[in-house]
Amino acid sequence: MSYQDEEEQVGSFPKDFGYGDFEHESDGNRASDDKPRILLMGLRRSGKSSIQKVVFHKMSPNETLFLESTNKIVKDDINNNSFVQFQIWDFPGQIDFFDPTFDSDMIFGGCGALVFVIDAQDDYVEALTKLNQTVTKAYKVNPRIKFEVFIHKVDGVSDDFKMESQRDIHSRATDDLADAGLEGVHLNFHLTSIYDHSIFEAFSKVVQKLIPQLAALENLLNLFIHNSGIEKAFLFDVVSKIYIATDATPVDMQSYELCCDMIDVVIDLSCIYGSRDNPDVPAFDNQSSSIIKMNNSTVLYLREVNKFLALVCIIREESFSRQGVIDYNFLCFREAITQVFELRFKHQKLEAIEQDSEDTMEDLRDFGRPDVMSSMKRFQD
């Protein structure tokens, strides 16, 4: 049973405003199997399940203290919009890669990213050994995997401790891979905690690497902010609060947190006031928008792209006097996003047709093999 099934409302979201049901067993759906996978791995009690619950199921960080340890692979299907579509597989910490029943080709073959979680407040010598084994095994099966290391549970520690832990873990992990002859493998390191926005920001960077259209989205955002006088813009998946694209200017953590908080405020107000007259009409749709004026001459401006995507902009107050231009440019941006959606759908259909054609040709080639033709001749005789 999923956390969403146990509560009528999860954080700011009503029960029906979220991702699909929490999967414990594979349903054998081909569409799900074709999605890129994100594997969550690490030692026991490192915080893997807590990350998954907080980011994708809106569980309060304090409630994760009562989660039981994962004792089997738990699969979670994330399927809210045309860009954020993938599966998350949460692995138990005691998994043995050298067990004959462990199917490495099946596990790592369709994997898009592997997230290894290390508890920064624990002795991480054993975790680094496990990381080396995991990366070595996965890379041999699928060299295209993106490897991400979450140095987790850094809340409540000093900045010096964070930097020293990251430096030490980075140095040891890189040296271990070099000793194993894997100098070409690149590891990305992130300092994370479920008690602040760092986990959302880190997962944003992981998910972006699974989006083939990321470059097109970034170019559209660059054009949008350049022609609208905008300081910074994020394209958010509003359910998880991870940003699937942003413009080329550097990401400031404080600005990202402000945008996340704005999404929470808009959803809260929409759920309270937006659907009293007609509960069947969603309060949060592609007509939703919000303006928040800060006390530092900055304006936060939110516009809905569709039910699950929102564009959040940070604008100087003097630039916002040209709101008409910004709104017109946003409509152009939203139309371009729609075209990217359509191109993705067409590409997926073409891939499916090509795959079916290849399967048919393979059957025909088998039919034309000498042994098959000989059998056919005997049948005719």
Side-chain angles (χ1 to χ4, degrees):
M1 179 179 292
S2 72
Y3 178 77
Q4 287 175 294
D5 291 331
E6 296 169 1
E7 298 288 340
E8 282 299 316
Q9 182 155 325
V10 184
S12 300
F13 294 82
K15 181 181 177 181
D16 60 350
F17 194 95
Y19 294 109
D21 292 335
F22 197 68
E23 290 186 347
H24 289 273
E25 302 293 340
S26 174
D27 60 359
N29 192 327
R30 178 179 175 180
S32 295
D33 293 339
D34 289 342
K35 295 175 187 173
R37 292 197 294 265
I38 296 178
L39 308 184
L40 272 178
M41 294 185 167
L43 298 183
R44 289 171 58 89
R45 310 307 298 178
S46 59
K48 304 182 297 296
S49 299
S50 299
I51 291 172
Q52 183 186 28
K53 288 288 192 177
V54 168
V55 175
F56 296 105
H57 292 276
K58 317 319 299 175
M59 179 179 281
S60 168
N62 293 325
E63 294 183 50
T64 62
L65 297 172
F66 306 104
L67 288 176
E68 297 181 357
S69 294
T70 304
N71 53 21
K72 64 177 181 178
I73 299 176
V74 179
K75 303 175 184 178
D76 193 6
D77 196 32
I78 307 301
N79 183 23
N80 245 8
N81 59 68
S82 295
F83 287 114
V84 183
Q85 289 188 6
F86 53 89
Q87 288 184 318
I88 293 182
W89 290 18
D90 184 6
F91 283 75
Q94 67 273 19
I95 195 165
D96 183 8
F97 295 116
F98 300 101
D99 190 318
T101 61
F102 185 83
D103 190 349
S104 299
D105 293 337
M106 189 276 291
I107 296 295
F108 299 122
C111 175
L114 191 155
V115 176
F116 195 92
V117 183
I118 296 178
D119 185 348
Q121 299 189 32
D122 197 4
D123 184 9
Y124 43 75
V125 174
E126 182 182 356
L128 288 171
T129 302
K130 187 79 169 181
L131 170 63
N132 183 262
Q133 294 175 350
T134 304
V135 172
T136 302
K137 193 81 170 179
Y139 186 78
K140 289 179 179 179
V141 175
N142 184 2
R144 297 185 302 275
I145 294 180
K146 307 293 190 301
F147 295 102
E148 312 288 334
V149 180
F150 284 7
I151 304 172
H152 197 47
K153 301 183 182 180
V154 295
D155 47 279
V157 299
S158 65
D159 291 339
D160 290 340
F161 179 85
K162 293 179 185 179
M163 294 301 106
E164 178 61 27
S165 298
Q166 183 173 9
R167 186 202 60 78
D168 188 36
I169 291 174
H170 182 282
S171 176
R172 293 191 186 190
T174 304
D175 290 344
D176 289 344
L177 288 177
D179 293 341
L182 298 175
E183 296 91 345
V185 178
H186 179 66
L187 302 179
N188 300 294
F189 295 85
H190 312 268
L191 293 167
T192 61
S193 169
I194 59 174
Y195 291 96
D196 56 32
H197 292 84
S198 60
I199 189 62
F200 296 95
E201 208 257 347
F203 238 106
S204 297
K205 294 180 179 179
V206 174
V207 171
Q208 287 170 20
K209 296 175 183 178
L210 304 181
I211 302 175
Q213 296 82 8
L214 179 62
L217 296 177
E218 290 178 342
N219 287 335
L220 288 173
L221 286 168
N222 288 333
L223 288 171
F224 174 68
I225 68 167
H226 176 72
N227 292 291
S228 305
I230 293 173
E231 298 285 317
K232 186 70 181 172
F234 295 93
L235 185 62
F236 274 97
D237 172 49
V238 294
V239 177
S240 63
K241 290 189 297 188
I242 61 177
Y243 64 95
I244 64 174
T246 186
D247 58 87
T249 59
V251 175
D252 176 49
M253 194 63 183
Q254 186 177 7
S255 299
Y256 172 67
E257 292 175 359
L258 281 173
C259 295
C260 288
D261 292 340
M262 184 183 192
I263 290 176
D264 284 336
V265 170
V266 172
I267 293 175
D268 284 339
L269 293 176
S270 298
C271 293
I272 293 172
Y273 299 107
S275 58
R276 287 188 300 174
D277 298 332
N278 189 354
D280 295 330
V281 177
F284 199 62
D285 55 23
N286 59 4
Q287 299 300 317
S288 298
S289 64
S290 177
I291 301 171
I292 297 178
K293 294 186 177 181
M294 314 293 288
N295 59 3
N296 60 352
S297 301
T298 301
V299 176
L300 298 179
Y301 189 36
L302 180 147
R303 289 293 301 266
E304 282 305 302
V305 177
N306 57 37
K307 184 180 179 182
F308 297 111
L309 286 179
L311 182 69
V312 184
C313 306
I314 301 174
I315 312 171
R316 303 301 300 177
E317 196 167 346
E318 56 269 20
S319 299
F320 195 67
S321 60
R322 302 166 58 241
Q323 185 180 351
V325 174
I326 296 173
D327 288 341
Y328 175 79
N329 288 339
F330 169 76
L331 294 176
C332 296
F333 172 80
R334 186 162 65 182
E335 182 180 353
I337 287 285
T338 304
Q339 293 176 6
V340 174
F341 280 149
E342 293 173 352
L343 285 174
R344 175 166 182 158
F345 292 148
K346 290 179 181 178
H347 181 68
Q348 289 174 338
K349 288 181 180 179
L350 286 174
E351 283 187 337
I353 292 172
E354 289 175 358
Q355 183 61 45
D356 292 340
S357 299
E358 288 178 3
D359 293 342
T360 302
M361 292 301 295
E362 185 66 30
D363 293 340
L364 291 174
R365 283 195 293 269
D366 290 342
F367 185 79
R369 278 166 30 202
D371 55 338
V372 176
M373 296 302 294
S374 176
S375 299
M376 289 296 294
K377 184 177 180 181
R378 286 198 300 271
F379 178 79
Q380 291 172 352
D381 294 340

